[in-house]
Amino acid sequence: MAGAKEIRTKIASIKSTQKITKAMEMVAASKMRRAQERMRAARPYAEKIRTVIGHIRLANPDYRHAFLVEREVKSVGIIVVSSDRGLCGSLNVNVFKQTLAAVREWQQKGCEVHLCLIGSKSMQFFRRLKLPIAASVAQLGDKPHVADLIGAVQAMLAMYREGKVDRLSLVSSNFVNTMTQKPEERMLLPAETVDASELQARWDYIYEPSAAELLDGYMMRYVESQVYQAVVENLACEMAARMVAMKSATDNAGSLIEELQLIYNKARQAAITKEISEIVGGAAAV
Amino acid sequence: MANTIHVDIVSAEGEIHSGSAEMVFVPASMGEIGIAPRHAPLLTTLKAGEVRVKPAGGGEELWFWIGGGALEIQPHLVTVLADTAARAKDLDEAAALAAKQRAEEALKDRTGAIEVAEAQAELARAAAQLKAIEKLRKLKRG
């Protein structure tokens, strides 16, 4: 009987695949917990600096920083945050879809679009489209640091300062819960105001040293922290998505094995029946 | 409430301290400043050094080391934004250039070795899958 051995090999190979997907699921689960903690740890800074920027917008300085002033939009910059590795379901594809929708919308308005790509998956995807890529950074690992992102962010800020980009936004996955990750576009520059009604109407800061220098530093830190927050959140999303994807892969492998086992049993039964009937036939002939 | 001020010390990679204080000392770039409650609104940058917090209601003075950062003072609130990355203008510019270069290389290098290997691996996987499906079909029919 030729089929039985083949089926047995097949079952063994699916079983080993199942072991791998099971292991990946568990690794992703434990990494997700750590990534979520990191996401939580990064939140206070991002919130604080957003409040500070909101205060700065409400102040009445003589000096108006370029990052706070709205200009006519002729070209836009989009920072895309994706994962470095695949096998995480539709996470990256959803982000790319959202990005493409935004790109198309701006192009219809006759705007140029410059991209800043974070994560190797976005690089692989957007390289094929003929869009100008201003900066990119990849291979951030499981513990991304702000220092790794400074370069890419600086490149985009320089473009904004030089007037090559009039609006800067960020597309990344939003961690809703383990099962759901939603792609989201957020505007970074010009900075939005936050509500801070407890402050008096007319006042200004004491600046030490000069307002220009200070605000530059603040805006830089603001954008960096927002991007960092997005990267950390994306990591948590990636792990959650991978966990779910690997779980369903493990389940699928399980049902495939069951099916194959049934086929194998039937084939074995048929072979035995055949053999018996041959023996019986042979005995009757004697 | 009148004679205490709320202090938040945060870095991008985590919250460091939050609570009310009687007095806060920070290493501002123009020299150390002491902040009492109802300080005038002030923005400044910080250099590397220690932040000292005298907690409200007495108790031991708290020390935090920071590697530079930014500071915002509102009459009722002090926010210390500590940097996690050592930074200098030149360093930042170099990093920006590197990011640009990476993007350019990624564009030029359309048939990078890594991609070819990746594509081959994917192809092999797909072929194996097809074979498995075909075999399964044959067995079901037979």
Side-chain angles (χ1 to χ4, degrees):
Chain A
M1 200 195 59
K5 191 169 181 298
E6 268 170 48
I7 301 171
R8 238 181 347 227
T9 331
K10 193 81 232 155
I11 290 175
S13 109
I14 294 174
K15 265 187 185 156
S16 65
T17 310
Q18 192 186 25
K19 267 183 209 152
I20 295 168
T21 53
K22 183 89 193 150
M24 281 181 81
E25 180 196 333
M26 286 192 286
V27 169
S30 81
K31 277 190 181 171
M32 182 185 74
R33 228 161 290 140
R34 259 172 286 151
Q36 265 178 301
E37 269 161 37
R38 217 164 286 130
M39 186 175 94
R40 227 165 285 140
R43 204 167 278 159
Y45 188 92
E47 271 166 21
K48 285 275 139 46
I49 198 151
R50 210 176 300 144
T51 323
V52 173
I53 295 295
H55 289 171
I56 291 174
R57 274 209 92 172
L58 287 176
N60 298 282
D62 308 324
Y63 168 78
R64 269 275 173 227
H65 195 271
F67 289 178
L68 295 171
V69 182
E70 285 192 36
R71 323 191 270 234
E72 195 194 335
V73 178
K74 285 193 206 103
S75 82
V76 294
I78 301 177
I79 300 178
V80 185
V81 181
S82 76
S83 70
D84 276 332
R85 270 171 281 174
L87 292 182
C88 50
S90 57
L91 180 80
N92 287 323
V93 176
N94 286 342
V95 170
F96 298 156
K97 261 192 216 155
Q98 176 100 15
T99 312
L100 285 180
V103 168
R104 218 165 293 138
E105 195 186 313
W106 286 110
Q107 279 176 340
Q108 269 166 11
K109 286 183 196 163
C111 294
E112 243 181 273
V113 179
H114 297 269
L115 293 177
C116 168
L117 306 175
I118 298 175
S120 15
K121 282 287 153 191
S122 60
M123 252 141 96
Q124 281 169 16
F125 182 83
F126 285 103
R127 170 190 313 178
R128 280 179 235 143
L129 306 171
K130 296 234 163 65
L131 288 169
I133 300 172
S136 70
V137 58
Q139 305 301 339
L140 294 169
D142 290 336
K143 281 185 224 146
H145 291 292
V146 181
D148 305 326
L149 300 170
I150 286 177
V153 173
Q154 283 298 321
M156 293 316 278
L157 292 187
M159 285 182 80
Y160 191 92
R161 227 173 270 133
E162 289 158 18
K164 282 188 204 154
V165 165
D166 303 307
R167 185 183 187 278
L168 189 61
S169 64
L170 175 76
V171 182
S172 69
S173 308
N174 192 2
F175 189 90
V176 183
N177 55 42
T178 317
M179 300 299 288
T180 331
Q181 295 89 31
K182 245 174 66 193
E184 200 181 47
E185 189 183 2
R186 253 176 304 166
M187 193 158 102
L188 290 177
L189 293 177
E192 286 168 285
T193 356
V194 299
D195 186 46
S197 44
E198 80 268 24
L199 295 162
Q200 315 97 295
R202 275 207 76 81
W203 58 281
D204 194 9
Y205 285 105
I206 304 167
Y207 297 95
E208 238 180 47
S210 71
E213 212 173 298
L214 270 173
L215 288 184
D216 223 38
Y218 268 101
M219 295 315 297
M220 217 164 68
R221 286 192 177 87
Y222 166 68
V223 176
E224 271 164 23
S225 77
Q226 300 303 313
V227 175
Y228 174 75
Q229 173 83 13
V231 168
V232 177
E233 192 162 348
N234 186 66
L235 198 68
C237 289
E238 179 192 342
M239 291 308 162
R242 179 164 304 135
M243 193 180 85
V244 173
M246 287 301 116
K247 179 152 178 39
S248 72
T250 311
D251 292 350
N252 286 346
S255 57
L256 203 57
I257 288 171
E258 246 169 58
E259 227 170 280
L260 279 174
Q261 191 71 53
L262 209 64
I263 294 168
Y264 170 72
N265 288 348
K266 270 187 194 155
R268 199 179 65 112
Q269 198 76 59
I272 292 168
T273 312
K274 202 175 133 207
E275 229 166 275
I276 290 175
S277 66
E278 267 166 15
I279 291 167
V280 170
V286 169
Chain B
M1 214 25 226
N3 52 3
T4 60
I5 187 162
H6 191 82
V7 191
D8 284 315
I9 306 177
V10 290
S11 83
E13 283 160 26
E15 187 170 38
I16 298 170
H17 174 77
S18 176
S20 45
E22 281 173 10
M23 189 88 183
V24 188
F25 301 93
V26 294
S29 55
M30 315 278 282
E32 190 182 50
I33 51 176
I35 305 149
R38 299 198 198 174
H39 194 288
L42 175 107
L43 280 183
T44 186
T45 51
L46 302 176
K47 56 186 181 189
E50 65 270 338
V51 176
R52 287 180 291 142
V53 179
K54 248 191 217 166
E60 224 170 290
E61 200 171 70
L62 303 165
W63 290 59
F64 304 96
W65 195 87
I66 59 162
L71 173 80
E72 190 219 11
I73 303 173
Q74 289 286 337
H76 54 281
L77 183 72
V78 179
T79 312
V80 177
L81 303 164
D83 282 342
T84 41
R87 54 191 330 159
K89 220 176 167 200
D90 298 344
L91 267 178
D92 284 4
E93 265 166 27
L97 269 178
K100 256 187 210 166
Q101 255 163 18
R102 264 199 302 277
E104 277 159 20
E105 267 164 35
L107 276 179
K108 258 187 255 156
D109 193 16
R110 270 166 206 281
T111 50
I114 305 165
E115 215 179 41
V116 171
E118 230 173 45
Q120 272 170 349
E122 214 158 77
L123 194 70
R125 259 201 304 275
Q129 252 165 16
L130 274 176
K131 231 188 239 167
I133 291 167
E134 234 164 53
K135 249 183 217 167
L136 204 64
R137 268 203 200 125
K138 250 188 229 159
L139 282 170
K140 268 195 177 166
R141 245 185 268 131

